[in-house]
């Protein structure tokens, strides 16, 4: 029997005595796991999963899964319903989506519209939901003390929601705003155009988001009535799945589920619910008349794309076998002589290719997506010939080869499943509830992650999918760039997709792909049984496919080769050299006091190494608190601090950007086979730093694997590759980067945040500045780029390394020494002159304006969207202010959302946020809107902060304050859920040279903080008798260009009085208006010169780690620009940047995966903004639904598929 923990009451409820709570949690009595009577234990979990799972069915038919995580301080709950967009009545398209929006806005026993959100916010939590085609998923998180009441409220939502007609138009406006946002997403538009080609009598082709035209046709009473009817017809226990999560015992969770969900009638509140969901297999969604078409779509980006869609009958019944994983492996492989490298390096037509699938009862859709290069759209036939030629090679591979590949994929999947990161509470409950609608309980934890069938039973299914991937069963969509000449004049037969204003044309496939008949699929070689059991296919394709004429011709044009013999295209074989991880030393030693009981012992500095200079800092800790057989190595090289904050030239930044992109491709191709074995790496460079992160399973293969990665880094760029491919790659990467810089498809709010960061970050450069340098051929020659990377590894540098994981002290030292030696750091030789780590710039500099700053510019996207982003800079963060404003943060998010979006309907993306930029605390309010001009949006934000937010804090009851305080304390006491949490917990303080116990200090102060302290900190942040250090960025959309010129003080007064801003705040605004430095146009580094002339300096580069540490700003010391200043004179020790502010922007990364070892977060941080990846991505993804939407408070992470707060 497995052991488990019952969470002590003191942990859940007490606000004081937290260290005692840690003692109790960290040293629990070992008891026998207790599953509820009648519940089925789910035990097929990952090996590193400390959680317990059980499945039950209530008497009303509701299926329930309870998850106990003994170490969690959070609880979560989710309900998935088998009804979604396909269920929309034709008269109310978007009704399912609108119903999802409205569910949390009042229920029978909790009628207040914002009551649920306010309750969750008081417990440090929030709610979210998304609507998919046949599924709607709702979920909420909060701290453990609120579980019982949270379940009461959550259950009431699904028992009897109100759908109050008095606020229904507000929610329709929110849905419409979301749709307006979606219309600006190129990925979204492309998907909708593709789906519109399905049968008109199938819901697949229907518009589902909803907007004013589909939802505001009748009275609000009628609409609310239709929502109630939809709910009554589809929301009942047999159609719902409930998941709960938390530290409480499984039985406690189940009893709460029974109490609050067990009384819902089997057929729903009105007795009208069908217990069986609809199915949409008939009428056929993709008849032959929808196939063999070529769509040309007017895009929004500077990067063209192409998507191939292959419909099949639903593959959902094959969920245990994952036959598509075979195609993803062989088509997505990017090693030498792969489809990707041939299309990219030999044909210069596409930079990448990927495979994905979307399943529904209507059909499954297999999609192949190409990210095209500029020449790609001119050679559609060549790309398709190359693809189908490769597909023939795949088909021709033997059954034995396919079985070997699937066996290795299954083993690799098992390895990742057993030792992967645990999903957070929110993802756990939302993922499991959705899965419960698709599979039986025993399969829940494994079926989406593992191959559960014998591989010999899967090859026939692979053959079936391959047999469906032929031109007669294909729909092609090419997405042009926004300024493609094809659209300079209206093409013949152009169509405009209803609701989206998206232009496209439709041609016969044969018009652009005349050789399509050559690739016709085999006849009757595959049969689909009644239960989707496949008969083994007979191979009908020769393994010696001739090179298509179009491909041969293009290869010779690109490479100037007289023969095509050098063009090699291979299907990758099985994954080999998979490690056998060892658990020796995988368990970290628990610390003795305080939070160390949760995070384990602090890494120790390794002394006495004779093979590296004494100035090198090497750190080590064995194991993980969540025992995992992985090891990681982190390294940071940093130059001594430069007295000139603008020392980073755009030329050097550009060389590093291009050089590391080249090195990244080179390493990805050379190490593609290694990457398949679970080895990850990240190699990045900042203004004055170089960071390396290595990760592998703990096994004898780890050291040789790391050696291979290091050898590639040491080798550096090879601009003289075979057949001139290095030179071609350089030209292509420069062209790609130029297109990215010219691209303006990023959300306008991200653009505004980027402008703000350019203004405030010394040494950073704008897109336009980088563009202006791209034409300097001598600057970007291959040799110059190689030298630029080498220079970053040479000269006067400090070195810090850290090894963590399942390895001994001796192995840790050996690995770190090898890393250092490969990078030229040793006692006997090397190009690195070691500096003391204390001389490095540990904290990224932030400009300190002498007065308010406002930048006004045109929205570069060219659409009607306006943005107002205001950030009040509060100075370097001390422990007390960090804690008090963390209390404020959840209230701020709730109040700004309720006021700016729910009440005023200013836009879909609005909010407020407390964060840090490097070590500087910031208070931000933002509005992205097509209806509110930026000058008015600023007034609304200021009013919300000064009036509504202040009132909310002042009127907060002692009980509510203690809940908010307790939620924050619980968050500090959350033990790590993944090894990257543990890495970041220690690596950042090590780089700082201090603050290893910052969380302890925050916890210490949080316990004794008072409500009046919080209110005082808030007022200090937003009010001033003088002027504030405030930076505002305003972007003006089309139709508002006449407002770019700054209004006069009298105009400002008129606007703010109209909005009824409180008089003291208006007076402050007028004082600030009179001294504001006004900037115009897109932000560039020269704007910092203007601010310097007006007295701007640099914030003190300090980090306060102790409760009693003095606020650096209280001394009123400001570092001014002075190239002759001694950067170390009279300065206290500096700490590195806060959070994942990767080394001073711009930051450039070569990575095998989403791994970033350069820096990590401290307890309150701002996430550095990065431009959205604009390469072609699969449009069809099971885990992301068409209406996965959000008003994202963490707007810096905004993506195409947001979710609803």
């Amino acid at each position: 029997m497995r052991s488990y923990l019952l969470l002590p009451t003191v942990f859940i409820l007490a606000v004081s005595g937290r260290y005692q709570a840690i003692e109790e949690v960290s040293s629990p009595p070992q008891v026998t796991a207790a599953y509820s009577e009648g519940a089925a234990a789910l035990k097929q979990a990952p090996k590193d999963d400390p959680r317990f799972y059980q499945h039950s069915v209530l008497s009303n038919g509701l299926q329930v899964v309870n998850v106990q995580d003994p170490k969690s301080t959070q609880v979560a709950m989710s309900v998935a319903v088998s009804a979604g967009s396909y269920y929309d009545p034709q008269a109310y398209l978007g009704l399912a989506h609108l119903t999802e929006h409205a569910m949390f806005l009042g229920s029978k026993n909790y009628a207040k519209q914002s009551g649920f959100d306010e309750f969750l916010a008081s417990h440090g939590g929030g709610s979210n939901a998304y609507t998919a085609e046949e599924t709607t998923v709702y979920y909420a998180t909060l701290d453990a003390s609120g579980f019982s009441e949270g379940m009461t409220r959550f259950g009431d939502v699904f028992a009897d929601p109100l759908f109050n007609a008095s606020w229904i138009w507000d929610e329709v406006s929110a849905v419409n705003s979301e749709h307006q946002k979606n219309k600006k997403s190129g990925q979204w538009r492309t998907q909708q155009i593709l789906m519109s080609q399905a049968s008109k009598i199938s819901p697949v082709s229907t518009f589902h988001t909803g907007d004013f035209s589909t939802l505001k046709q009748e009275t609000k009473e009628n609409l609310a009535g239709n929502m109630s009817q939809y709910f009554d017809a589809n929301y009942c226990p047999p159609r719902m799945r409930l998941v709960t999560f938390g530290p409480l015992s499984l039985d406690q969770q189940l009893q709460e589920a029974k109490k609050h969900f067990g009384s819902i009638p089997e057929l729903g509140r009105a007795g009208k619910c069908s217990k069986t969901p609809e199915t949409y297999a008939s009428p056929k969604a993709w008849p032959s008349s929808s196939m063999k078409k070529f769509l040309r779509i007017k895009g929004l980006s500077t990067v063209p794309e192409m998507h191939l869609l292959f419909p099949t009958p639903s593959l959902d019944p094959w969920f245990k076998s994952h036959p598509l994983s075979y195609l993803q492996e062989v088509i997505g492989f990017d090693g030498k002589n792969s489809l990707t490298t041939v299309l990219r390096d030999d044909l210069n037509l596409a930079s990448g290719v990927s495979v994905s699938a979307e399943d529904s009862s209507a059909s499954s859709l297999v999609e192949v997506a190409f990210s095209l290069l500029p020449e790609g759209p001119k050679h559609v036939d060549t790309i398709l010939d190359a693809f189908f030629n490769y597909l023939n090679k795949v088909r021709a591979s033997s059954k034995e080869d396919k079985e070997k590949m699937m066996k290795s994929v299954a083993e690799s999947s098992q390895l990742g499943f057993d030792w992967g990161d645990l999903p957070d509470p929110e993802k756990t409950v939302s993922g499991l509830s959705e899965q419960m609608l698709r599979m039986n309980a025993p399969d829940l934890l494994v079926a989406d992650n593992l191959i559960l069938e014998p591989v010999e039973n899967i090859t026939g299914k692979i053959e079936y999918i391959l047999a469906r991937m032929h031109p007669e069963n294909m729909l092609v969509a090419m997405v042009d760039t926004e300024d493609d000449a094809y659209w300079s004049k209206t093409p013949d037969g152009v169509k405009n997709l209803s609701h989206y204003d998206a232009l496209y044309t439709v041609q016969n496939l044969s018009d652009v792909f005349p050789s399509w008949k050559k690739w016709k699929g085999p006849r009757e070689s595959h049969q689909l049984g009644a239960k989707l059991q496949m008969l083994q296919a007979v191979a009908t394709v020769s393994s010696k496919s001739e090179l298509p004429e179009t491909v041969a011709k293009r290869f010779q044009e690109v490479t100037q080769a007289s023969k095509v013999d050098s063009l090699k295209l291979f299907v990758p074989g099985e994954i080999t050299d998979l490690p056998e991880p060892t658990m020796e030393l995988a368990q970290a030693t628990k610390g003795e006091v305080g939070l160390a009981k949760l995070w384990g012992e602090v890494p120790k500095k390794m002394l006495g190494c004779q093979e590296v200079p004494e100035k090198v800092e090497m750190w080590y800790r064995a194991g993980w608190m969540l025992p995992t057989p992985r090891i990681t190595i982190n390294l940071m090289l940093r130059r001594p601090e430069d007295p000139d904050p603008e020392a980073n030239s755009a030329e050097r930044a550009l060389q590093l950007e291009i050089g590391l992109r080249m090195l990244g491709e080179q390493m990805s191709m050379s190490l593609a086979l290694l990457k398949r074995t679970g080895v990850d790496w990240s190699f990045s460079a900042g203004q004055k730093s170089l960071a390396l992160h290595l990760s592998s399973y703990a096994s004898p293969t780890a050291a040789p694997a790391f050696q291979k990665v290091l050898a590639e880094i040491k080798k550096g760029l090879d601009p003289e590759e075979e057949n001139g491919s290095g030179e071609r790659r350089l030209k292509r990467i420069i062209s790609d980067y130029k297109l990215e810089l010219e691209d303006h498809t990023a959300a306008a709010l991200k653009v505004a945040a980027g402008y703000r960061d350019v203004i405030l970050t010394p040494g950073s450069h704008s897109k336009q500045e980088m563009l202006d340098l791209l034409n300097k051929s001598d600057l970007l020659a291959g040799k110059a780029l190689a030298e630029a990377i080498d220079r970053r590894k040479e000269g006067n540098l400090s070195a810090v390394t850290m090894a963590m994981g399942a390895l001994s002290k001796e192995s840790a030292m050996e690995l770190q020494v090898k890393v250092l030696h490969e990078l030229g750091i040793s006692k006997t030789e090397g190009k690195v002159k070691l500096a003391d780590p204390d001389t490095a710039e540990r904290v990224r500099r932030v400009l300190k304006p002498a007065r308010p700053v406002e930048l006004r510019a045109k929205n570069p996207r060219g659409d009607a969207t306006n943005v107002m982003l205001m950030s009040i800079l509060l100075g370097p963060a001390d422990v007390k202010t960090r804690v008090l404003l963390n209390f404020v943060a959840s209230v701020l998010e709730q109040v700004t959302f309720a006021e700016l979006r729910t009440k005023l309907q200013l836009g879909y993306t609005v909010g407020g946020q407390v964060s840090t930029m490097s070590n500087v605390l910031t208070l931000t309010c933002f509005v992205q809107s097509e209806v509110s001009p930026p000058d008015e949006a600023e007034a609304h934000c200021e009013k919300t902060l000064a009036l509504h937010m202040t009132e909310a804090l002042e009127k907060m009851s002692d009980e509510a304050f203690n809940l908010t305080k307790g939620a924050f304390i619980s968050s500090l006491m959350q033990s790590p859920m993944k090894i990257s949490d543990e890495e970041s917990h220690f690596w950042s303080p090590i780089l700082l040279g201090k603050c290893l116990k910052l969380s302890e200090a925050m916890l210490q102060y949080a316990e004794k903080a008072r409500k009046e302290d919080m209110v005082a900190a808030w007022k200090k942040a937003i009010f001033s008798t003088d002027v504030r250090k405030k930076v505002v960025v305003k972007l003006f959309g089309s139709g508002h260009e006449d407002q770019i010129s700054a209004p006069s003080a009298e105009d400002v007064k008129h606007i703010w009085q109209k909005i009824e801003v409180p008089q003291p705040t208006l007076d402050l605004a007028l004082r600030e208006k009179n001294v504001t430095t006004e900037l115009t146009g897109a932000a560039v580094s020269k704007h910092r010169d203007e601010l310097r002339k007006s007295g701007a300096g640099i914030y003190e580069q300090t980090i306060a780690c102790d409760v009693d540490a003095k606020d650096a700003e209280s001394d009123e010391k400001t570092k001014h620009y002075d190239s002759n200043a001694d950067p170390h004179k009279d300065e206290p020790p500096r700490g590195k940047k806060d959070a994942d502010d990767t080394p001073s922007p711009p930051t450039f990364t070569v990575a095998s995966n989403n791994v970033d070892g350069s820096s990590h977060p401290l307890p309150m941080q701002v996430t550095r903004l990065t431009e959205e990846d604009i390469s072609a991505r699969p449009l069809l993804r099971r885990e992301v639904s068409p209406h996965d939407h959000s008003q994202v408070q963490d707007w810096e992470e905004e993506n195409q598929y947001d979710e609803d707060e």
Side-chain angles (χ1 to χ4, degrees), residues 759 855 1079-1092:
I759 292 170
L855 181 140
L1079 309 174
T1080 57
V1084 293
S1085 57
K1086 288 183 179 180
H1087 282 139
R1088 294 193 299 273
D1089 295 337
E1090 295 184 43
L1091 298 179
R1092 180 184 62 187

Side-chain angles (χ1 to χ4, degrees), residues 221-529:
E221 289 77 14
N222 283 347
L223 182 57
N226 277 278
M227 292 167 66
S228 291
Q229 290 177 24
Y230 171 80
F231 175 86
D232 291 340
N234 297 289
Y235 282 58
C236 56
R239 299 267 297 279
M240 299 194 299
R241 305 290 186 268
L242 170 66
V243 179
T244 66
F245 173 101
L248 286 80
S249 72
L250 295 172
D251 197 58
Q252 284 177 287
Q253 294 185 49
L254 180 58
Q255 295 310 313
E256 291 286 349
K258 289 180 177 179
K259 181 178 178 181
H260 303 298
F261 284 84
S263 60
I264 300 175
E266 183 180 21
L267 299 183
R269 65 176 181 181
K272 299 178 180 179
C273 180
S274 170
K275 293 192 290 184
T276 305
E278 299 286 340
T279 181
Y280 295 93
S282 179
K284 188 176 181 180
W286 298 95
S288 58
S289 59
S290 295
M291 299 294 100
K292 288 193 298 183
K293 292 181 180 179
F294 177 77
L295 312 182
R296 189 158 185 174
I297 300 171
K298 184 176 182 180
L300 302 176
S301 168
T302 57
V303 178
E305 305 170 1
M306 187 161 71
H307 302 267
L308 316 183
L309 212 61
F310 301 96
T312 77
S314 178
L315 302 178
D316 246 349
W318 288 353
F319 69 91
K320 291 185 180 182
S321 55
H322 298 283
L324 193 70
S325 62
Y326 174 84
L327 295 180
Q328 290 171 325
E329 189 65 35
V330 298
I331 294 176
F333 181 70
D334 60 355
K336 291 182 178 180
N337 304 313
S338 64
L339 177 62
T340 292
T341 55
V342 167
L343 288 171
R344 183 184 69 201
D345 299 334
D346 296 318
L347 304 181
N348 197 33
L349 296 177
S351 60
V353 57
S354 60
V355 181
S356 64
E358 173 95 342
D359 296 329
S360 72
S361 66
S363 72
S364 287
L365 296 170
V366 178
E367 182 210 355
V368 180
F370 299 86
S371 182
L372 301 183
L373 296 170
E375 289 289 303
K378 302 175 187 176
H379 299 276
V380 170
D381 56 341
T382 306
I383 296 171
L384 293 175
D385 274 335
F387 172 70
F388 283 110
N389 179 64
Y390 181 73
L391 213 57
N392 260 8
K393 291 177 179 290
V394 173
R395 291 190 184 101
S397 62
S398 68
K399 181 178 184 293
E400 290 72 21
D401 285 343
K402 290 184 175 72
E403 287 180 358
K404 287 180 181 179
M405 171 65 87
M406 285 305 295
K407 182 180 179 182
S408 68
V409 170
E411 292 171 350
S412 176
S413 300
Q414 183 73 57
L415 202 58
F417 173 74
D418 282 338
W419 307 115
D421 290 336
L422 294 176
D424 62 29
E426 181 179 274
K427 291 180 180 177
T428 298
V429 295
S430 60
L432 281 173
S433 65
E434 186 275 332
Q435 288 173 307
M436 290 169 72
L437 294 172
R438 294 187 284 111
M439 60 189 70
N440 295 323
D443 301 319
L444 283 174
L445 303 182
V446 291
D448 275 354
N449 302 289
L450 298 177
I451 294 171
L452 301 177
E453 289 190 356
V455 294
E456 56 269 20
N457 295 343
I458 302 175
T459 52
K461 299 172 183 179
I462 294 171
E463 296 290 354
Y464 172 75
I465 295 174
L466 285 169
R468 301 289 299 180
M469 296 176 70
H470 59 83
E472 292 168 291
N473 186 52
M474 179 176 70
L475 184 65
V476 182
M478 188 178 74
V479 185
D480 284 314
T481 59
E482 58 185 343
D483 57 355
D484 191 281
Y486 179 80
W487 299 96
S488 59
K489 295 181 180 179
T490 303
D492 293 338
V494 66
K495 299 177 182 293
N496 190 332
L497 182 64
S498 178
H499 302 283
Y500 283 92
D501 296 326
L503 302 180
Y504 67 101
T505 57
V506 182
Q507 297 173 255
N508 291 324
L509 182 62
S510 57
D511 294 342
V512 294
F513 188 29
S515 61
W516 71 270
K517 290 184 179 179
K518 178 180 178 181
W519 310 110
K520 291 177 68 174
R523 295 183 180 180
E524 305 300 331
S525 61
H526 304 271
Q527 298 179 27
L528 190 59

Side-chain angles (χ1 to χ4, degrees), residues 876 878 919 1100-1102 1104 1109-1117:
D878 62 86
N919 65 323
E1100 285 294 309
Q1101 293 166 271
T1102 58
K1110 194 174 183 180
D1111 182 351
E1113 286 304 291
S1114 66
D1115 294 330
E1116 291 301 324
K1117 291 182 181 179

Side-chain angles (χ1 to χ4, degrees), residues 570-603:
F570 297 126
V571 177
E574 63 184 301
I575 302 171
T576 58
D577 300 321
L578 284 171
E580 297 181 5
T582 173
M583 288 297 291
E584 186 177 358
L585 297 173
Q587 174 68 67
T589 301
K590 184 175 63 179
E592 295 182 357
V593 296
L595 294 179
K597 290 179 176 289
L598 302 178
W599 291 93
E601 287 188 341
V602 171

